[in-house]
Amino acid sequence: MQLPIFGLGTFRLQGDTVIKSVTQALDLGYRAIDTAQIYDNEKAIGIAIKNSHIPRNDIHLTTKIWVDNLSRDKLIPSLKNSLQNLKNDAVDLTLIHWPAPENPIQIEEYMSALLEAKKAGLTRKIGVSNFNIDLLKQAITIIGADNIETNQIELSPYLQNHQLVDFMQNQGISVTSYMTLAYGKVLQDPIIQDIAQRRQHTPAQIALAWALAKGYCVIPSSTKKENLASNLQAQYISLSTEDISRIDQLEANRREINPETLAPRWDQ
C-alpha cells in the first residue's frame, strides 16, 4: 500500500474520544490512521478499527517509536507491544518519533533496529519524524533512502521548511505535514480567509489543499464529524497558481512544537 496523501491524526485524542474520531473518520472514507506510542491511544484505535469491520488491508496504519524505546533491545519489543495494542500482526509504517539528540542511543543503533523490524515483517515500511537534513543524511547512509518512506514534519503556511523539503524530494522521501493548520492559527489568516470566501470553501480546506498541491501528505485531526468530512474534501480542491503563491508568502518560520530535549537543530 502506498503512503496515502490524506489521513487522520490522533495526537492528544484518547479513550472514547479517539474511538469516536477514528470510527467517524472510517465511516466517512478515511483509510489512513496515524498514531504513536506516546499518544497512549493505540489500544483504543485498535478497538475502533476492529469494530469498523473494514478489511485491514484497506487501512493504512502508522505508529511511531518513542525515545525511551530507541535502543536495539527495546525497539522491536516495543513495536510488538504496539501491535498487540492495535490488535494487528503488522503496521504499514513505523517511524522514529523524535531524534532526541541528548538521548545516549546513537542513530546507527535505532535506524538499524528499525530496519530489522521491517525485515521481520512487523512493519511494511519505515521512516522518521522530526529529522533535519543532517540526520536524514545519516539515516540514508545507514539504511538507504529507499528504506525511508517519509519524514513526518511540522509544516504549515507559517512554517514551510523549504530547505528540508527540497532535500527530501530530491531523495525521493515523501513529505508528511503535521500541524498543517498551526493549531488553527492559519484559519484566522486574512489571506486564507479571503481565498476561502472567494472559492466558497472553509479556511481549513484551503490550507490543506495548499499542502496537497505541494505534494505533501497531510494528517489533520478532529473530534467533530462535520470537520472530519469537510477536511476530507480538501483532496478535491484545485487551487490556482495565484492562490498557492499568496499562501506561499505567509512563510514566517513560526514553529508550534519544539521540545528542547527532543528536537534537532532545525534547518533555516
Side-chain angles (χ1 to χ4, degrees):
M1 182 183 291
Q2 292 184 339
L3 184 63
I5 63 169
F6 207 100
L8 177 72
T10 62
F11 177 51
R12 292 186 171 178
L13 305 183
Q14 296 179 337
D16 290 342
T17 300
V18 77
I19 290 176
K20 181 179 178 181
S21 178
V22 171
T23 298
Q24 290 180 335
L26 292 173
D27 287 345
L28 288 166
Y30 284 74
R31 290 297 180 267
I33 309 296
D34 180 275
T35 183
Q37 293 174 343
I38 197 64
Y39 295 174
D40 193 27
N41 61 14
E42 290 176 324
K43 285 185 178 180
I45 289 173
I47 291 170
I49 291 175
K50 182 178 180 181
N51 290 344
S52 74
H53 301 296
I54 295 171
R56 172 63 184 87
N57 289 339
D58 291 346
I59 299 174
H60 188 282
L61 187 55
T62 298
T63 195
K64 311 179 197 74
I65 304 295
W66 186 240
V67 296
D68 293 343
N69 300 321
L70 292 180
S71 65
R72 184 175 298 277
D73 63 331
K74 290 184 178 180
L75 191 148
I76 287 180
S78 79
L79 180 54
K80 288 181 177 179
N81 185 63
S82 290
L83 296 179
Q84 184 176 2
N85 289 336
L86 290 163
K87 297 176 174 57
N88 272 270
D89 295 328
V91 288
D92 299 285
L93 178 64
T94 303
L95 309 178
I96 299 298
H97 202 154
W98 285 92
E102 296 184 9
N103 193 303
I105 309 303
Q106 298 299 303
I107 187 172
E108 291 84 1
E109 181 171 345
Y110 61 74
M111 292 308 302
S112 297
L114 189 61
L115 183 59
E116 289 178 15
K118 178 183 178 182
K119 291 178 178 178
L122 302 175
T123 181
R124 294 179 180 86
K125 295 183 179 181
I126 57 177
V128 296
S129 182
N130 300 300
F131 272 38
N132 62 11
I133 292 174
D134 179 63
L135 288 166
L136 277 177
K137 288 180 177 178
Q138 293 181 54
I140 289 169
T141 299
I142 297 163
I143 67 170
D146 57 333
N147 278 310
I148 303 174
E149 177 72 5
T150 190
N151 182 21
Q152 191 176 112
I153 57 174
E154 182 185 343
L155 194 154
S156 76
Y158 293 158
L159 180 71
Q160 298 181 29
N161 280 307
H162 294 295
Q163 292 184 25
L164 179 56
V165 166
D166 288 347
F167 177 80
M168 290 167 59
Q169 291 179 335
N170 287 335
Q171 295 293 324
I173 297 172
S174 296
V175 178
T176 299
S177 162
Y178 73 80
M179 208 62 65
T180 315
L181 306 181
Y183 280 138
K185 294 176 182 177
V186 300
L187 308 184
Q188 306 305 317
D189 190 274
I191 288 177
I192 290 179
Q193 288 188 340
D194 178 69
I195 296 171
Q197 184 176 18
R198 180 166 44 82
R199 297 182 63 88
Q200 296 186 322
H201 295 302
T202 69
Q205 287 175 329
I206 296 301
L208 293 169
W210 167 83
L212 293 168
K214 296 283 187 178
Y216 311 151
C217 305
V218 296
I219 47 172
S221 65
S222 181
T223 59
K224 297 180 179 179
K225 188 171 184 177
E226 59 268 28
N227 290 342
L228 289 168
S230 177
N231 288 346
L232 195 61
Q233 294 306 306
Q235 299 175 89
Y236 311 110
I237 297 173
S238 297
L239 297 177
S240 70
T241 302
E242 181 184 358
D243 290 336
I244 293 170
S245 178
R246 292 180 69 195
I247 298 173
D248 287 347
Q249 300 305 310
L250 298 178
E251 166 63 53
N253 196 30
R254 188 184 305 172
R255 191 174 296 277
E256 301 294 331
I257 297 180
N258 192 24
E260 183 176 347
T261 60
L262 301 177
R265 178 174 295 179
W266 302 112
D267 302 295
Q268 299 298 322

